[in-house]
């Protein structure tokens, strides 16, 4: 039996906000909420979760339940390896079915998180069957005609897609979603000319098996045992390394870095913004951190930047210089907002056209499952 993943939170000390912060964030989320609350209802869409046994798939279930997403039926899909497993959702137990081309005839909405190759194979079949797909993989992100959407930023990009009428909507890469949720309010105000992003990416971004390997390696390292390396080709515990995606040998950039470059251009619908990045895996279980340097088209003071961020949907500011209190992955873990701090003028410049930020976001939630569910809510 599989349960949506809350069990390890207390063990890993994650997801804890101070009481003051909890109150602050709760008020904010209520103010911004545009959810359609219903849960199981005969008028809701027929929903399929594709890749339900994975890290993002399990998170889909958590978020759908937490937001009382309306649905009339639910179908749990994964590979043949998982067929027959049981999954609990909203008081009912479902049997996981093998994903096939014929899985979608009785579905209006499919939330996909099954990796690029399964998506390439099965998402078009779902769309052809009249089921609208929201996909977390990179399979169709850069395909012309496929909207690449962060609802707080460019929900209008998906205006031609109707629920239950087919179509594919892509979720951007997790690092892109987290960076742009924070930076877009500044971009909309004064325009970003150039963005330099350095990421500190958690194990969970590489899926359930990567989290398990980090935990195992940590125990092995502490016990002085040989280190198991099944997921990454080197020791991860007590180490960090350049992102594990393929490196372009001519450019020297890895795929994760190029996603930041290309997806920013598509989401902001501009080729004028220059983007460069360095993506690194750090031995954090959950939630990515990013250091972001912005070169702006017009001057912006720190106070103006802070105000823009404080008023931005999906953003919480933690920026206490006196207490040296800024966002951390643990604060961001299991929370919806992207947390921004270290808001400061870039002192390497002679003008006021440079801002530095430090950003943390739970990439399984806002970087994947939550963003997809927000897209589905917008479809409703
Ligand atoms: P994961 O934990 O490894 O889970 C993968 C899921 O896909 C499992 O349910 C697996 O089913 C299923 N699957 C794999 N091959 C399949 C196939 N041929 N047919 C049907 N189901 C198949 O990975 P994840 O982290 O959840 O990531 C899933 C997708 O979301 C990936 O494309 C990833 O790039 C993207 N994404 C992940 C994150 C993140 O933070 N983790 C963020 C953004 C985007 P079995 O259990 O049966 O193998």
């Amino acid at each position: 039996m599989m349960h949506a993943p809350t069990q390890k939170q207390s063990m890993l000390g994650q997801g804890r906000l101070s009481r003051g912060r909890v109150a602050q964030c709760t008020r904010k989320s209520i103010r911004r909420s545009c959810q359609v609350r219903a849960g199981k209802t005969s008028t809701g869409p027929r929903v399929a979760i594709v890749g339900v046994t994975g890290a993002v798939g399990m998170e889909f279930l958590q978020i759908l339940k937490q937001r009382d997403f309306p649905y009339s039926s639910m179908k749990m899909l994964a590979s043949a390896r998982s067929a027959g497993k049981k999954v609990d959702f909203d008081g009912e137990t479902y049997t996981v079915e093998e994903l096939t081309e014929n899985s979608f005839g009785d579905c209006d909405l499919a939330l996909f998180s099954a990796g690029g190759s399964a998506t390439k194979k099965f998402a078009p079949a779902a769309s052809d069957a009249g089921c609208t797909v929201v996909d977390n993989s990179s399979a169709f992100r850069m395909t012309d005609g496929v909207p690449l959407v962060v609802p707080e930023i460019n929900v209008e990009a998906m205006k031609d897609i109707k629920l239950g009428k087919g179509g594919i909507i892509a979720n951007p890469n997790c690092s892109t979603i987290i960076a742009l949720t924070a930076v877009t309010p500044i971009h909309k105000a004064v325009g970003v000319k150039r963005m330099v992003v350095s990421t500190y990416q958690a194990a969970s971004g590489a899926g359930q098996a990567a989290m398990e390997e980090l935990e195992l390696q940590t125990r092995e390292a502490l016990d002085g045992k040989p280190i198991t390396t099944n997921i990454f080709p080197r020791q991860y515990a007590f180490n960090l390394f350049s992102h594990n995606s393929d490196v372009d040998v001519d450019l020297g950039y890895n795929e994760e870095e190029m996603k930041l470059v290309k997806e920013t251009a598509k989401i902001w619908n501009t080729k004028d913004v220059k983007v460069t990045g360095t993506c690194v895996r750090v031995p954090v279980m959950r939630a990515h951190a990013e250091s972001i340097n912005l070169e702006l088209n017009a001057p912006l003071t720190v106070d103006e930047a802070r105000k823009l961020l404080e008023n931005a949907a999906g953003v919480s500011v933690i920026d206490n210089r006196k207490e040296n209190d800024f966002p951390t992955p643990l604060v961001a873990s299991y929370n919806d907002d992207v947390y921004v701090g270290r808001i400061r003028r870039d002192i390497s410049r002679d003008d006021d056209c440079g801002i530095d930020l430090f950003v943390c976001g739970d990439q399984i939630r806002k970087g994947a499952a939550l963003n997809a569910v927000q897209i589905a809510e917008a479809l409703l």
Side-chain angles (χ1 to χ4, degrees), residues 51-57 78-79 81-82 99 113-116 118 122 136-137 141 174 204-208 363-364 367-368:
V52 69
T53 49
V56 178
S79 77
R81 293 179 289 275
S82 301
L99 171 65
S113 66
F122 296 107
N136 266 294
S137 79
R141 283 182 194 149
C174 46
S204 52
Q208 190 62 39
Q363 90 296 330
I364 303 189

Side-chain angles (χ1 to χ4, degrees), residues 188-204:
K188 285 187 174 166
V190 288
V192 170
K193 191 174 189 180
R194 181 165 179 264
M195 177 164 78
V196 183
V197 183
S198 303
T199 70
Y200 312 77
Q201 297 187 220
S204 52

Side-chain angles (χ1 to χ4, degrees), residues 8 53-56 203-217 228-232 236 285 364:
K8 283 193 176 176
T53 49
V56 178
S204 52
Q208 190 62 39
M211 287 189 270
E212 285 163 15
E213 184 154 298
L214 175 58
E215 191 177 334
L216 175 67
Q217 283 191 4
T228 306
T229 53
N230 291 328
I231 306 299
F232 299 118
Y236 190 14
M285 193 57 80
I364 303 189

